[in-house]
Structure formats: structure tokens, C-alpha cells
Amino acid sequence: MADWSPAAYLQYTDERSRPFADLLARVAADPATIVDLGAGPGHLTALLRERWPAAQVTGVDSSPAMVERARAADPGTRYVLGDVRDYAAGTLADPDGPVTGADLVVSNATLQWVPGHRDLLPALAEKATQAFAFQVPGNHDAPSHRLLRAVAAREPYAEALGAPVERRATADPAEYLGILARPGWSVDAWETTYVHVLHGEDPVLRWISATGAQPTLHALAAHDSAHGTGLLPRFEAELGAELRAAYPERPYGTLLEFRRVFVVATRLR
């Protein structure tokens, strides 16, 4: 897919930042070093610094645009272009040297994009000398994502996309706990459903266009560019209509229920 858009992602900064703050509130570690996997545009580094002002933070992201934005906005932090799988394997490096383990390894709304992320969790936890904490969306069967898959399965979009939209399902808290629970560790796993009040025109479409729907939108844009078609605006109009019906605007805004799953694995001392 094409690169991520930092500007689109930051449209709902407050709503997207709150789960990370809730995750950090349950981390009992006192880290001197932190690795943030999927640091995005660097907007959440301030929360890490607020909680642990003396810690050295390294942000990792696979998006060149996100890393460029983070480096420009936060030049005092090291941001590395790289893949979570390489970090888990111990092979991630940049011109400034390898990215190794840390006291705290943390990840916010990233692992759901990593193929086979469940299999990587033990290795990621081993990179942490004190704690490994992550949060992933648990809303892949919400109306927003069901409708995205349903509209994309219709013609002419299905032929243009070439494959069904992937259902990037994450595990339930109990499954993650089972993967990480072992001697020497204490695992805290839970879920929270946030009810966001969104405003403006087609807010749910704008929300998913910056995240879950982005690969589909990029694929349709590429098809339009290569074949001279106009599928992207047609798709957005059709999906937008479906989303407005599923998420009706109320006098105070549009409600988006968003389930998230949290895990904090702490080494016992």
C-alpha cells in the first residue's frame, strides 16, 4: 500500500491518544529506556516523557512519512524506520546503530497490522527488562469495518481490489494473557469500549479513512491512476452513505463505539 498520512491520522488526536494514556497508567515499571513500536508521527512521545521524564525514548515506525513527521516535530527523540518483526528478531538497525531491548517496550494500535503478531509477542516481551505493554483495536466486527468489507466486495470494486479486504482480527484479553503468562511474569489484560462523540461531515468515514480503510482507499486510488477510472470517489460516496445509516448523526454529534484490548506484561523481581 501507499504510505500513511500523518495529517489524516492526527484529525482525531485526542480520541486516539486516550487509550495510550490509559495503557501507560497501568504500567508499574520505572524505565530508563523505552522503545515505542509504531510511534507514528511522534505525537504520543509527550505522554511517555510526562510519565517518565528522565527516560531515553526510541520510536520505531514502518512508515517513512510518519518517521519524517516525527523527526521534524520532535528532534530530541530518536525515530527509526523499521519493522516490528525485525525488532522482535533482534535485527533492527539504522545509521545510528542497532535498536536493542529496553526497560519498557510499548506499542499503541500497531500490532494488528503485523502479520502473525501473536507469534511475535513472546519475543517482544523478552526485549523488555521490566515491562511489555500494548494496546490494539478490538473493533474489527463493528459496523464500520463490516461495511468496509461489504462495500469492497461489490463490483466494480472487488475486481479492482483483486482480493477481499482482510479482517485484521485481534485476540481477546484472555488469549493474549495465555500467550504471555509464564514463570517470572505477571500479566494484566483487559478491554475497554470507548464511546467517541464525533463531529463534522461523515466523521466515521474520516476516522476509518486514516486507519482501517486506508489500504483499500490507496488500492482504489492506484487503480484509478493506472486505468483512468473514478472508483475511489464512487466508493467513498457509497461507503459514506452506508456509514451514515449505521452511525446516524445526533443533535450532539455522531457516536462511535470503539473497543480496544490492553495488555501489560511485567517481569517479577
Side-chain angles (χ1 to χ4, degrees):
M1 59 173 279
D3 202 0
W4 293 93
S5 168
Y9 185 82
L10 290 171
Q11 286 183 18
Y12 294 105
T13 302
D14 290 344
E15 291 85 354
R16 298 191 197 278
S17 299
R18 181 179 169 189
F20 191 53
D22 292 345
L23 176 69
L24 298 185
R26 300 282 281 270
V27 176
D30 185 19
T33 55
I34 302 172
V35 169
D36 182 3
L37 300 174
H43 63 300
L44 296 179
T45 304
L47 295 179
L48 293 171
R49 287 213 182 98
E50 180 180 324
R51 179 73 187 279
W52 299 287
Q56 179 183 359
V57 180
T58 298
V60 177
D61 204 280
S62 63
S63 162
M66 290 291 197
V67 171
E68 181 181 1
R69 173 70 174 265
R71 288 171 175 169
D74 184 21
T77 298
R78 181 188 182 193
Y79 291 98
V80 176
L81 181 65
D83 193 288
V84 169
R85 291 166 292 189
D86 293 333
Y87 182 74
T91 58
L92 180 60
D94 75 347
D96 291 330
V99 183
T100 58
D103 293 332
L104 171 62
V105 177
V106 64
S107 180
N108 184 64
T110 294
L111 295 179
Q112 75 276 8
W113 294 103
V114 181
H117 76 274
R118 291 170 174 81
D119 296 333
L120 298 178
L121 296 179
L124 291 174
E126 287 301 321
K127 296 292 183 185
T129 63
Q130 295 184 19
F132 170 48
F134 67 90
Q135 176 271 129
V136 288
N139 68 329
H140 294 87
D141 286 324
S144 56
H145 288 63
R146 292 201 310 268
L147 290 171
L148 170 65
R149 295 192 294 267
V151 175
R154 301 171 188 167
E155 296 298 349
Y157 314 121
E159 182 178 358
L161 292 170
V165 173
E166 183 179 354
R167 178 181 175 272
R168 298 182 180 274
T170 51
D172 291 331
E175 182 178 349
Y176 284 132
L177 190 151
I179 292 171
L180 290 170
R182 58 202 187 281
W185 290 83
S186 173
V187 183
D188 183 14
W190 72 98
E191 66 178 71
T192 298
T193 298
Y194 296 86
V195 182
H196 300 301
V197 182
L198 308 182
H199 302 281
E201 184 178 356
D202 285 331
V204 179
L205 177 62
R206 286 190 286 115
W207 178 289
I208 68 170
S209 293
T211 52
Q214 193 159 131
T216 303
L217 301 180
H218 283 165
L220 291 174
H223 185 277
D224 287 347
S225 178
H227 301 281
T229 52
L231 295 184
L232 177 59
R234 178 177 167 185
F235 178 85
E236 289 179 316
E238 194 169 333
L239 178 58
E242 298 272 11
L243 291 172
R244 286 193 298 274
Y247 298 90
E249 184 178 13
R250 304 171 188 269
Y252 46 83
T254 299
L255 298 184
L256 174 65
E257 295 187 19
F258 201 118
R259 176 178 176 261
R260 294 184 183 269
V261 179
F262 301 78
V263 179
V264 177
T266 305
R267 285 189 186 269
L268 300 176
R269 300 180 184 181

